Amino acid sequence: MASEPGASGAGEGRVVEIWTDGGCRPNPGPGGWGAVMMYGGRVRELSGAEPATTNNRMELTAAAAALEALTRPCQVILHTDSEYVRNGITRWLDRWVRRNWRNSAGEPVANTDLWRRLVAAAAPHRIEWRWIRGHAGDPMNERADALATEARRALAGSV
């Protein structure tokens, strides 16, 4: 693709839309993540896998990797079927940071490394975090799921 999402012309009214998904089989176990990015009629797909991980880690990785792929500050709509990601970033994060990355029970927040990565990746952008129901027919969510599954299967095939 000649120009990547966020590479140029992300002026007012121009929005990068991102759909992310991640998963494992079994959980925990080998996992994959996928992201579909759309900007100005262009589509970019990203994916990856890890041999030993969890669903939540793959969901966080997908969102962070997609935001890290943007080359300039953007207005973003990020669609995720993970309530963990959406609630974490929009509802729980401020409390976690105030409590020095401890949850309401006083325990360390799970996946702190990836939450910090996501916070850093999100910082330059204006993001609307949208939850969508997984496996409910949204074509871009289904594509992100397929990318995650393909990445996980390719990893399993290469071991």
Side-chain angles (χ1 to χ4, degrees):
M1 159 166 70
S3 179
E4 297 176 352
S8 63
E12 283 302 310
R14 309 265 333 245
V15 176
V16 177
E17 286 203 66
I18 300 171
W19 288 260
T20 63
D21 200 13
C24 293
R25 185 164 289 162
N27 183 33
W33 61 269
V36 179
M37 305 169 69
M38 291 184 65
Y39 174 76
R42 295 179 186 91
V43 176
R44 181 175 178 193
E45 297 181 339
L46 306 171
S47 63
E50 293 185 20
T53 189
T54 65
N55 284 340
N56 285 342
R57 289 188 66 80
M58 291 293 88
E59 294 280 4
L60 286 164
T61 299
L67 293 171
E68 289 166 350
L70 298 173
T71 58
R72 61 180 289 188
C74 295
Q75 206 174 326
V76 177
I77 299 172
L78 194 145
H79 307 263
T80 176
D81 63 6
S82 170
E83 291 189 61
Y84 176 68
V85 169
R86 199 267 318 258
N87 288 336
I89 202 80
T90 63
R91 295 176 54 196
W92 307 329
L93 182 67
D94 289 338
R95 281 177 278 175
W96 290 341
V97 171
R98 276 196 316 268
R99 294 177 176 148
N100 196 26
W101 292 96
R102 299 220 170 251
N103 62 25
S104 59
E107 300 292 325
V109 171
N111 305 312
T112 303
D113 59 328
L114 289 173
W115 282 113
R116 288 178 188 263
R117 178 181 170 192
L118 181 57
V119 168
H125 311 292
R126 290 183 314 203
I127 304 171
E128 178 183 336
W129 299 88
R130 290 188 185 170
W131 180 79
I132 55 173
R133 184 171 305 284
H135 309 287
D138 180 299
M140 294 310 210
N141 177 253
E142 298 295 336
R143 181 62 189 144
D145 178 72
L147 289 167
T149 300
E150 290 166 13
R152 177 181 52 79
R153 286 181 177 156
L155 175 72
S158 68
V159 175

